[in-house]
């Protein structure tokens, strides 16, 4: 028993020294760290940068294409000529040189508005990526705060378990004194020792789980997992949520609804893009060229030089493509219809989920109030039982039962408090208000 007590004292000393000087990680600080370092959020932000690049004018086909070409050729030949009368003439080491350069412009003047709708689609795709990033941020914040409040719960439980352990130690000391003076039995003292050991194990296990949860939160925050910290265990609740107001906000601001609405808009643009294939394409082609030849002695002209501007229009109209465009347009319309059905389904599911979340939150607040009353009752009961125990009017077992009842009530209150907060956050996410909330 003495050896166990020494281990407990050593463990407590380590915990106290470890907690001393730790940072208090506020909820606001956790949000800021996550927005800067969370791995999922960083990847989502990079994907949004890609979508922004894709939505640039440089990826729109609105700008002309300009190409430049240049070349030079050198020839050194031996030429042999035979006249009609059979006379032959040979010219050795005949040199000729050719130089050319040109710059050309190609621009699509009209393509059935396909380019216009493609450009709009790229911009809407960027807006869609913003919504996806927002969804990832929301989900990440929910994970972070779920873990944050789990740490807060464990922190509060650690305090009440430590307090309970101190009470058990005091009871053990009192029981030992009573045993020494013949007022208590050996069994009573052994029971007190067992209770101290059980309370010690409960406290040590809670501290272990707390340390693991802190590492989990550090991983979600994207920082060194061994960083130690404490959390703010205070929570506040909004008591005046209105179900109708939450439902109206959810229809407009819920991320999944916004993403589906954006998908419907993109599908409409796909229909228009496919329809553009029914129209002709008009292209402008223009070039400026330079050609120079230094001819050999067999030519009449020693040098030839040409330069000038060329321009032209070309019209291309695929009058019938075997029904390929028609099929694409029909399929695009079916996809748009499916998205409309999905939106109706999602709207109904959202109404159900928001209503359920609202009821869960209200029920969680009721449980919280009940647990607060339960703690008050058990605290009063324990206080009176403790007085009677000191006077020898109740047994050690009765005192322990009152202590356990208070411990359970306090632990249930902590759980109810953080369950209610998590329920509130889920309700706010469904209504699209999570990122506008003061935590």
């Amino acid at each position: 028993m003495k050896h166990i007590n020494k281990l407990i004292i050593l463990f407590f000393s380590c915990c106290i020294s470890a907690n001393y000087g730790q940072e208090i990680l506020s909820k606001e600080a956790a949000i800021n760290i996550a927005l800067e370092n969370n791995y999922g959020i960083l990847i989502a932000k990079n994907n949004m940068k890609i979508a922004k690049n894709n939505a640039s004018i440089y990826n729109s086909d609105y700008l002309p294409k300009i190409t430049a070409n240049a070349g030079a050729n050198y020839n050194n030949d031996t030429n042999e000529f035979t006249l009609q009368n059979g006379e032959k003439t040979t010219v050795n080491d005949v040199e000729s040189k050719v130089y050319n350069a040109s710059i050309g412009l190609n621009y699509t003047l009209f393509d059935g508005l396909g380019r216009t709708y493609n450009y709009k689609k790229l911009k809407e795709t960027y807006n869609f990526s913003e919504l996806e990033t927002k969804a990832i941020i929301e989900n990440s914040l929910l994970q972070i705060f779920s873990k944050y409040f789990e740490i807060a719960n464990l922190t509060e439980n650690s305090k009440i378990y430590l307090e309970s352990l101190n009470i058990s130690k005091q009871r053990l000391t009192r029981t030992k004194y009573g045993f020494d003076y013949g007022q208590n039995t050996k069994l009573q003292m052994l029971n007190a020792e067992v209770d101290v050991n059980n309370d010690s194990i409960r406290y040590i296990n809670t501290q272990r789980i707390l340390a693991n949860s802190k590492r989990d939160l550090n991983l979600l925050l994207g920082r060194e997992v061994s960083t130690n910290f404490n959390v703010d265990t205070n929570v506040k609740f909004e008591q005046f949520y209105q179900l109708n107001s939450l439902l109206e906000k959810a229809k407009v601001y819920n991320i999944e609804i916004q993403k589906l609405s954006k998908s419907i808009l993109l599908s409409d643009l796909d229909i228009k893009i496919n329809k553009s294939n029914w129209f002709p394409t008009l292209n402008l082609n223009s070039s400026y060229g330079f050609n120079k030849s230094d001819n050999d002695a067999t030519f009449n002209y020693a040098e030839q030089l040409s330069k000038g501007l060329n321009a032209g229009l070309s019209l291309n109209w695929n009058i019938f493509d075997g029904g390929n465009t028609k099929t694409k347009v029909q399929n695009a319309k079916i996809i748009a219809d499916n998205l409309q059905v999905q939106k109706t389904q999602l709207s109904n599911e959202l109404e159900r989920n928001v209503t359920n979340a609202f009821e869960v939150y209200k029920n969680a607040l009721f449980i919280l109030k009940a647990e607060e009353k339960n703690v008050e009752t058990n605290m009063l009961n324990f206080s009176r039982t403790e007085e009677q125990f000191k006077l020898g009017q109740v047994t050690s077992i009765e005192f322990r039962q009152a202590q356990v009842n208070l411990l359970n009530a306090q632990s249930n209150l902590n759980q109810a408090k953080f369950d209610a907060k998590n329920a509130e956050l889920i309700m706010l996410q469904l209504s699209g208000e999570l990122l506008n909330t003061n935590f």
Side-chain angles (χ1 to χ4, degrees):
M1 181 64 194
K2 291 181 180 179
H3 178 66
I4 293 176
N5 285 337
K6 288 181 180 179
L7 289 177
I8 294 172
I9 292 171
L10 178 60
F11 178 80
F12 291 160
S13 299
C14 293
C15 291
I16 293 172
S17 61
N19 289 329
Y20 181 78
Q22 289 179 12
E23 68 163 310
I24 301 295
L25 179 65
S26 67
K27 303 174 187 68
E28 294 77 10
I31 294 175
N32 292 332
I33 294 172
L35 291 176
E36 292 293 330
N37 301 325
N38 178 269
Y39 304 118
I41 293 176
L42 290 177
I43 292 174
K45 287 181 177 179
N46 284 335
N47 289 336
M48 194 167 68
K49 291 178 181 178
I50 293 175
K52 185 177 181 180
N53 290 336
N54 289 336
S56 168
I57 188 68
Y58 301 109
N59 193 44
S60 66
D61 288 333
Y62 267 113
L63 300 179
K65 294 179 174 63
I66 299 176
T67 57
N69 296 287
N73 290 303
Y74 171 79
N75 294 305
N76 189 324
D77 301 320
T78 297
N79 297 321
E80 184 178 289
F81 304 94
T82 303
L83 299 176
Q84 293 293 335
N85 58 10
E87 183 181 347
K88 294 183 178 180
T89 303
T90 301
V91 181
N92 296 318
D93 296 326
V94 177
E95 291 186 347
S96 64
K97 300 173 184 177
V98 178
Y99 308 94
N100 64 82
S102 66
I103 183 168
L105 179 145
N106 184 281
Y107 185 66
T108 300
L109 298 175
F110 179 76
D111 65 346
L113 299 179
R115 174 177 55 186
T116 301
Y117 296 129
N118 266 313
Y119 189 42
K120 289 181 179 180
K121 183 179 178 180
L122 291 173
K123 287 187 173 296
E124 293 302 332
T125 301
Y126 169 70
N127 294 333
F128 186 85
S129 72
E130 284 187 321
L131 292 176
E132 287 187 320
T133 300
K134 189 175 180 181
I136 291 174
I137 291 174
E138 278 193 354
N139 291 329
S140 297
L141 289 184
L142 269 185
Q143 287 182 313
I144 288 168
F145 279 110
S146 176
K147 188 60 64 175
Y148 187 96
F149 291 129
E150 177 185 323
I151 294 171
N153 187 17
L154 290 168
T155 300
E156 292 289 280
N157 283 342
S158 293
K159 293 178 182 178
I160 63 175
Y161 292 159
L162 180 58
E163 182 180 354
S164 180
L165 176 58
N166 291 330
I167 292 172
S168 295
K169 286 182 177 181
Q170 293 172 5
R171 172 183 153 221
L172 176 59
T173 301
R174 180 180 292 276
T175 304
K176 283 183 176 181
Y177 284 143
F179 177 75
D180 292 339
Y181 288 99
Q183 296 176 350
N184 295 324
T185 65
K186 180 69 172 179
L187 180 60
Q188 290 175 315
M189 187 176 70
L190 291 176
N191 284 336
E193 289 180 353
V194 169
D195 292 336
V196 168
N197 289 339
N198 288 336
D199 289 349
S200 300
I201 292 171
R202 181 188 293 111
Y203 178 75
I204 291 173
N205 284 337
T206 302
Q207 288 293 104
R208 174 182 57 80
I209 297 172
L210 176 60
N212 291 343
S213 296
K214 287 183 177 181
R215 284 187 282 270
D216 291 340
L217 181 57
N218 281 328
L219 184 62
L220 289 173
L221 296 180
R223 65 178 186 174
E224 177 60 44
V225 295
S226 61
T227 303
N228 212 339
F229 59 91
N230 291 320
V231 298
D232 180 8
T233 59
N234 294 319
V235 294
K236 54 185 178 180
F237 301 95
E238 173 60 59
Q239 302 284 345
F240 304 103
Y241 291 114
Q242 297 295 327
L243 178 58
N244 290 335
S245 176
L246 291 172
L247 290 172
E248 290 299 321
K249 290 179 179 178
K251 292 176 182 178
V252 178
Y253 300 113
N254 177 270
I255 292 297
E256 296 306 318
I257 281 288
Q258 291 188 65
K259 287 172 61 179
L260 196 50
S261 297
K262 191 65 66 178
S263 295
I264 291 174
L265 178 57
L266 290 172
S267 70
D268 290 337
L269 290 172
D270 281 333
I271 295 173
K272 294 176 180 178
I273 290 170
N274 287 313
K275 283 184 176 181
S276 69
N277 292 327
W278 280 328
F279 295 91
T281 300
L282 181 64
N283 290 313
L284 168 66
N285 300 288
S286 178
S287 66
Y288 181 85
F290 167 85
N291 291 278
K292 179 184 177 183
S293 299
D294 292 333
N295 299 322
D296 57 46
T298 62
F299 281 79
N300 292 329
Y301 301 102
E303 181 180 282
Q304 289 180 288
L305 177 65
S306 65
K307 56 184 176 178
L309 176 67
N310 297 306
L313 295 173
S314 63
L315 178 70
N316 181 30
W317 194 349
N318 193 353
I319 297 175
F320 181 68
D321 62 356
N324 185 46
T325 297
K326 181 180 179 180
T327 301
K328 289 182 178 179
V329 171
Q330 290 176 335
N331 289 340
K333 287 181 178 179
I334 294 172
I335 292 173
D337 290 339
N338 284 339
L339 290 173
Q340 289 290 353
V341 174
Q342 290 178 26
K343 185 175 181 180
T344 301
Q345 179 186 9
L346 181 59
S347 296
N348 289 333
E349 290 177 350
L350 185 59
E351 181 176 355
R352 179 203 62 187
N353 294 340
V354 171
T355 303
N356 289 348
F358 180 77
E359 294 298 330
V360 169
Y361 177 61
K362 288 297 182 182
N363 187 62
L365 290 181
F366 175 81
I367 294 174
L368 178 59
K369 292 294 182 182
E371 293 294 353
E372 288 174 349
K373 182 64 177 177
N374 196 28
V375 168
E376 292 178 4
T377 302
N378 278 280
M379 191 169 292
L380 180 61
N381 177 63
F382 175 75
S383 179
R384 291 180 178 178
T385 303
E386 186 177 31
E387 292 177 2
Q388 293 176 347
F389 177 70
K390 292 178 180 179
L391 297 174
Q393 296 176 352
V394 298
T395 65
S396 177
I397 295 176
E398 291 173 324
F399 175 76
R400 175 62 177 177
Q401 187 60 52
Q403 178 189 2
V404 170
N405 289 341
L406 176 60
L407 180 66
N408 290 337
Q410 290 173 325
S411 179
N412 290 339
L413 175 60
N414 286 334
Q415 189 65 51
K417 178 171 64 173
F418 297 111
D419 283 348
K421 192 60 182 178
N422 283 323
E424 181 186 25
L425 294 178
I426 292 174
M427 181 180 66
L428 290 171
Q429 184 199 28
L430 289 171
S431 63
E433 288 291 296
L434 182 62
L435 301 183
N436 301 323
T437 301
N438 184 7
F439 298 98

